[in-house]
Amino acid sequence: MGFEQNFSLKGKIAWVTGASYGIGFAIANAYAQSGATIVFNDINQELVDKGVKAYAEAGIKAHGYVCDVTDEAAVNALVAKIEKEVGVIDILVNNAGIIRRIPMTEMSAAEFRKVVDVDLNAPFIVSKAVIPSMIKKGHGKIINICSMMSELGRETVSAYAAAKGGLKMLTRNICSEYGKYNIQCNGIGPGYIATPQTAPLRERQPDGSRHPFDSFIIAKTPAERWGETSDLMGPAVFLASDASNFVNGHILYVDGGILAYIGKQP
Ligand code: NAP
Ligand code: GCO
């Protein structure tokens, strides 16, 4: 068997949350191409149906389920259903996430809590639900989708930054607490990626010029471009595969160099 087999996910079952489209879909697609069976969920049947169709168009028979990842009872019930219908989860990607761009002093506590609920509490809930079976199986991979905001702040994203900063530390704590069971928990910190979530930051201006934030990100990124979801596929396969069995508690930033760069002189 060649060394490349270390990157194979053949025979593994991967659950990617919130993966009807966007980053989650790209990661699940990469896992399927690497041999994994794909399970995904989204928040409503319409999105799940859209996702199943999109996976099928990519030649992937994905198992789609409706589940709000903030609902612990629903998550626990779904894990039991997946184990019955598909099998025990070998790889979990906590991808589902939201952002609300509101100046902190104008943000309600309820809005702040909602972002933290999806972006931080839900990865706790879902990880807690799958870890017992991973322990029984003798291995597991948990990958949390962090962010530049796990390291940096910016105006209007206080809740998101607090949640993604917490997700970085939850990643390290799962590593610390469950590494002895051959469970590796790592994070991926995407830079600025072209998805529906960042579409408002890239909209062309009425005069056809780039959005100011778009120009800002280009100046802050050594690669001088926004990331594509495909840029995340290789790193995600690495962290889900046996090739990373001694990588634990690490946040792998896939950002084109943003975190290393002071930014282009105006
Ligand atoms: P996206 O396009 O907004 O997709 C997020 C997905 O999560 C959507 O399918 C969404 O469903 C789903 N979701 C939201 N709340 C949910 C819930 N309670 N239960 C189940 N599913 C839920 O986002 P993305 O850009 O692909 O980002 C995916 C992840 O990467 C997020 O965690 C995000 O914070 C992170 N990230 C994104 C970037 C970027 O530049 N795009 C960079 C760094 C990190 P709905 O359509 O119903 O909302
Ligand atoms: C924002 C963006 C970012 C990205 C991502 C960067 O408003 O600043 O949405 O938060 O989504 O998290 O890594």
mmCIF file with all atom_site columns, all heavy atoms in Angstrom, residues 234-246:
data_model
loop_
_atom_site.group_PDB
_atom_site.id
_atom_site.type_symbol
_atom_site.label_atom_id
_atom_site.label_alt_id
_atom_site.label_comp_id
_atom_site.label_asym_id
_atom_site.label_entity_id
_atom_site.label_seq_id
_atom_site.pdbx_PDB_ins_code
_atom_site.Cartn_x
_atom_site.Cartn_y
_atom_site.Cartn_z
_atom_site.occupancy
_atom_site.B_iso_or_equiv
_atom_site.pdbx_formal_charge
_atom_site.auth_seq_id
_atom_site.auth_comp_id
_atom_site.auth_asym_id
_atom_site.auth_atom_id
_atom_site.pdbx_PDB_model_num
ATOM 1  N N   . GLY A 1 234 ? -8.181  20.306 0.436  1.00 0.00 ? 234 GLY A N   1
ATOM 2  C CA  . GLY A 1 234 ? -6.980  19.536 0.785  1.00 0.00 ? 234 GLY A CA  1
ATOM 3  C C   . GLY A 1 234 ? -6.679  19.566 2.275  1.00 0.00 ? 234 GLY A C   1
ATOM 4  O O   . GLY A 1 234 ? -6.519  18.505 2.907  1.00 0.00 ? 234 GLY A O   1
ATOM 5  N N   . PRO A 1 235 ? -6.646  20.770 2.891  1.00 0.00 ? 235 PRO A N   1
ATOM 6  C CA  . PRO A 1 235 ? -6.415  20.817 4.341  1.00 0.00 ? 235 PRO A CA  1
ATOM 7  C C   . PRO A 1 235 ? -7.451  20.021 5.135  1.00 0.00 ? 235 PRO A C   1
ATOM 8  O O   . PRO A 1 235 ? -7.128  19.366 6.127  1.00 0.00 ? 235 PRO A O   1
ATOM 9  C CB  . PRO A 1 235 ? -6.507  22.320 4.643  1.00 0.00 ? 235 PRO A CB  1
ATOM 10 C CG  . PRO A 1 235 ? -6.077  22.981 3.367  1.00 0.00 ? 235 PRO A CG  1
ATOM 11 C CD  . PRO A 1 235 ? -6.611  22.121 2.273  1.00 0.00 ? 235 PRO A CD  1
ATOM 12 N N   . ALA A 1 236 ? -8.708  20.055 4.672  1.00 0.00 ? 236 ALA A N   1
ATOM 13 C CA  . ALA A 1 236 ? -9.753  19.318 5.395  1.00 0.00 ? 236 ALA A CA  1
ATOM 14 C C   . ALA A 1 236 ? -9.544  17.807 5.296  1.00 0.00 ? 236 ALA A C   1
ATOM 15 O O   . ALA A 1 236 ? -9.756  17.072 6.272  1.00 0.00 ? 236 ALA A O   1
ATOM 16 C CB  . ALA A 1 236 ? -11.130 19.700 4.847  1.00 0.00 ? 236 ALA A CB  1
ATOM 17 N N   . VAL A 1 237 ? -9.118  17.338 4.125  1.00 0.00 ? 237 VAL A N   1
ATOM 18 C CA  . VAL A 1 237 ? -8.846  15.895 3.968  1.00 0.00 ? 237 VAL A CA  1
ATOM 19 C C   . VAL A 1 237 ? -7.668  15.499 4.844  1.00 0.00 ? 237 VAL A C   1
ATOM 20 O O   . VAL A 1 237 ? -7.715  14.491 5.555  1.00 0.00 ? 237 VAL A O   1
ATOM 21 C CB  . VAL A 1 237 ? -8.573  15.541 2.485  1.00 0.00 ? 237 VAL A CB  1
ATOM 22 C CG1 . VAL A 1 237 ? -8.009  14.122 2.360  1.00 0.00 ? 237 VAL A CG1 1
ATOM 23 C CG2 . VAL A 1 237 ? -9.849  15.705 1.656  1.00 0.00 ? 237 VAL A CG2 1
ATOM 24 N N   . PHE A 1 238 ? -6.643  16.324 4.869  1.00 0.00 ? 238 PHE A N   1
ATOM 25 C CA  . PHE A 1 238 ? -5.463  16.031 5.702  1.00 0.00 ? 238 PHE A CA  1
ATOM 26 C C   . PHE A 1 238 ? -5.877  15.844 7.167  1.00 0.00 ? 238 PHE A C   1
ATOM 27 O O   . PHE A 1 238 ? -5.542  14.850 7.806  1.00 0.00 ? 238 PHE A O   1
ATOM 28 C CB  . PHE A 1 238 ? -4.445  17.163 5.584  1.00 0.00 ? 238 PHE A CB  1
ATOM 29 C CG  . PHE A 1 238 ? -3.368  17.142 6.637  1.00 0.00 ? 238 PHE A CG  1
ATOM 30 C CD1 . PHE A 1 238 ? -2.436  16.101 6.707  1.00 0.00 ? 238 PHE A CD1 1
ATOM 31 C CD2 . PHE A 1 238 ? -3.288  18.169 7.580  1.00 0.00 ? 238 PHE A CD2 1
ATOM 32 C CE1 . PHE A 1 238 ? -1.445  16.082 7.694  1.00 0.00 ? 238 PHE A CE1 1
ATOM 33 C CE2 . PHE A 1 238 ? -2.302  18.159 8.559  1.00 0.00 ? 238 PHE A CE2 1
ATOM 34 C CZ  . PHE A 1 238 ? -1.386  17.107 8.625  1.00 0.00 ? 238 PHE A CZ  1
ATOM 35 N N   . LEU A 1 239 ? -6.668  16.782 7.692  1.00 0.00 ? 239 LEU A N   1
ATOM 36 C CA  . LEU A 1 239 ? -7.046  16.709 9.110  1.00 0.00 ? 239 LEU A CA  1
ATOM 37 C C   . LEU A 1 239 ? -8.038  15.592 9.409  1.00 0.00 ? 239 LEU A C   1
ATOM 38 O O   . LEU A 1 239 ? -8.196  15.190 10.556 1.00 0.00 ? 239 LEU A O   1
ATOM 39 C CB  . LEU A 1 239 ? -7.616  18.051 9.579  1.00 0.00 ? 239 LEU A CB  1
ATOM 40 C CG  . LEU A 1 239 ? -6.614  19.186 9.711  1.00 0.00 ? 239 LEU A CG  1
ATOM 41 C CD1 . LEU A 1 239 ? -7.316  20.475 10.128 1.00 0.00 ? 239 LEU A CD1 1
ATOM 42 C CD2 . LEU A 1 239 ? -5.498  18.844 10.716 1.00 0.00 ? 239 LEU A CD2 1
ATOM 43 N N   . ALA A 1 240 ? -8.704  15.065 8.374  1.00 0.00 ? 240 ALA A N   1
ATOM 44 C CA  . ALA A 1 240 ? -9.643  13.953 8.586  1.00 0.00 ? 240 ALA A CA  1
ATOM 45 C C   . ALA A 1 240 ? -8.977  12.602 8.398  1.00 0.00 ? 240 ALA A C   1
ATOM 46 O O   . ALA A 1 240 ? -9.577  11.566 8.714  1.00 0.00 ? 240 ALA A O   1
ATOM 47 C CB  . ALA A 1 240 ? -10.815 14.075 7.605  1.00 0.00 ? 240 ALA A CB  1
ATOM 48 N N   . SER A 1 241 ? -7.740  12.596 7.891  1.00 0.00 ? 241 SER A N   1
ATOM 49 C CA  . SER A 1 241 ? -7.086  11.336 7.496  1.00 0.00 ? 241 SER A CA  1
ATOM 50 C C   . SER A 1 241 ? -6.067  10.859 8.528  1.00 0.00 ? 241 SER A C   1
ATOM 51 O O   . SER A 1 241 ? -5.697  11.590 9.446  1.00 0.00 ? 241 SER A O   1
ATOM 52 C CB  . SER A 1 241 ? -6.359  11.540 6.160  1.00 0.00 ? 241 SER A CB  1
ATOM 53 O OG  . SER A 1 241 ? -5.198  12.351 6.372  1.00 0.00 ? 241 SER A OG  1
ATOM 54 N N   . ASP A 1 242 ? -5.597  9.632  8.303  1.00 0.00 ? 242 ASP A N   1
ATOM 55 C CA  . ASP A 1 242 ? -4.570  9.063  9.189  1.00 0.00 ? 242 ASP A CA  1
ATOM 56 C C   . ASP A 1 242 ? -3.257  9.825  9.101  1.00 0.00 ? 242 ASP A C   1
ATOM 57 O O   . ASP A 1 242 ? -2.392  9.710  9.975  1.00 0.00 ? 242 ASP A O   1
ATOM 58 C CB  . ASP A 1 242 ? -4.334  7.591  8.831  1.00 0.00 ? 242 ASP A CB  1
ATOM 59 C CG  . ASP A 1 242 ? -5.508  6.701  9.239  1.00 0.00 ? 242 ASP A CG  1
ATOM 60 O OD1 . ASP A 1 242 ? -6.282  7.129  10.138 1.00 0.00 ? 242 ASP A OD1 1
ATOM 61 O OD2 . ASP A 1 242 ? -5.663  5.610  8.658  1.00 0.00 ? 242 ASP A OD2 1
ATOM 62 N N   . ALA A 1 243 ? -3.114  10.638 8.061  1.00 0.00 ? 243 ALA A N   1
ATOM 63 C CA  . ALA A 1 243 ? -1.866  11.409 7.896  1.00 0.00 ? 243 ALA A CA  1
ATOM 64 C C   . ALA A 1 243 ? -1.694  12.434 9.016  1.00 0.00 ? 243 ALA A C   1
ATOM 65 O O   . ALA A 1 243 ? -0.598  12.949 9.223  1.00 0.00 ? 243 ALA A O   1
ATOM 66 C CB  . ALA A 1 243 ? -1.882  12.113 6.543  1.00 0.00 ? 243 ALA A CB  1
ATOM 67 N N   . SER A 1 244 ? -2.779  12.744 9.728  1.00 0.00 ? 244 SER A N   1
ATOM 68 C CA  . SER A 1 244 ? -2.713  13.761 10.791 1.00 0.00 ? 244 SER A CA  1
ATOM 69 C C   . SER A 1 244 ? -2.977  13.157 12.165 1.00 0.00 ? 244 SER A C   1
ATOM 70 O O   . SER A 1 244 ? -3.398  13.855 13.091 1.00 0.00 ? 244 SER A O   1
ATOM 71 C CB  . SER A 1 244 ? -3.760  14.856 10.517 1.00 0.00 ? 244 SER A CB  1
ATOM 72 O OG  . SER A 1 244 ? -5.074  14.293 10.549 1.00 0.00 ? 244 SER A OG  1
ATOM 73 N N   . ASN A 1 245 ? -2.684  11.849 12.340 1.00 0.00 ? 245 ASN A N   1
ATOM 74 C CA  . ASN A 1 245 ? -3.026  11.207 13.619 1.00 0.00 ? 245 ASN A CA  1
ATOM 75 C C   . ASN A 1 245 ? -2.225  11.712 14.816 1.00 0.00 ? 245 ASN A C   1
ATOM 76 O O   . ASN A 1 245 ? -2.600  11.475 15.959 1.00 0.00 ? 245 ASN A O   1
ATOM 77 C CB  . ASN A 1 245 ? -2.872  9.688  13.499 1.00 0.00 ? 245 ASN A CB  1
ATOM 78 C CG  . ASN A 1 245 ? -4.025  9.056  12.735 1.00 0.00 ? 245 ASN A CG  1
ATOM 79 O OD1 . ASN A 1 245 ? -5.026  9.719  12.448 1.00 0.00 ? 245 ASN A OD1 1
ATOM 80 N ND2 . ASN A 1 245 ? -3.875  7.782  12.383 1.00 0.00 ? 245 ASN A ND2 1
ATOM 81 N N   . PHE A 1 246 ? -1.119  12.458 14.563 1.00 0.00 ? 246 PHE A N   1
ATOM 82 C CA  . PHE A 1 246 ? -0.395  13.030 15.695 1.00 0.00 ? 246 PHE A CA  1
ATOM 83 C C   . PHE A 1 246 ? -0.493  14.556 15.699 1.00 0.00 ? 246 PHE A C   1
ATOM 84 O O   . PHE A 1 246 ? 0.282   15.263 16.352 1.00 0.00 ? 246 PHE A O   1
ATOM 85 C CB  . PHE A 1 246 ? 1.076   12.573 15.692 1.00 0.00 ? 246 PHE A CB  1
ATOM 86 C CG  . PHE A 1 246 ? 1.712   12.620 17.064 1.00 0.00 ? 246 PHE A CG  1
ATOM 87 C CD1 . PHE A 1 246 ? 1.141   11.953 18.143 1.00 0.00 ? 246 PHE A CD1 1
ATOM 88 C CD2 . PHE A 1 246 ? 2.879   13.347 17.284 1.00 0.00 ? 246 PHE A CD2 1
ATOM 89 C CE1 . PHE A 1 246 ? 1.722   11.994 19.410 1.00 0.00 ? 246 PHE A CE1 1
ATOM 90 C CE2 . PHE A 1 246 ? 3.470   13.396 18.557 1.00 0.00 ? 246 PHE A CE2 1
ATOM 91 C CZ  . PHE A 1 246 ? 2.887   12.723 19.609 1.00 0.00 ? 246 PHE A CZ  1
#
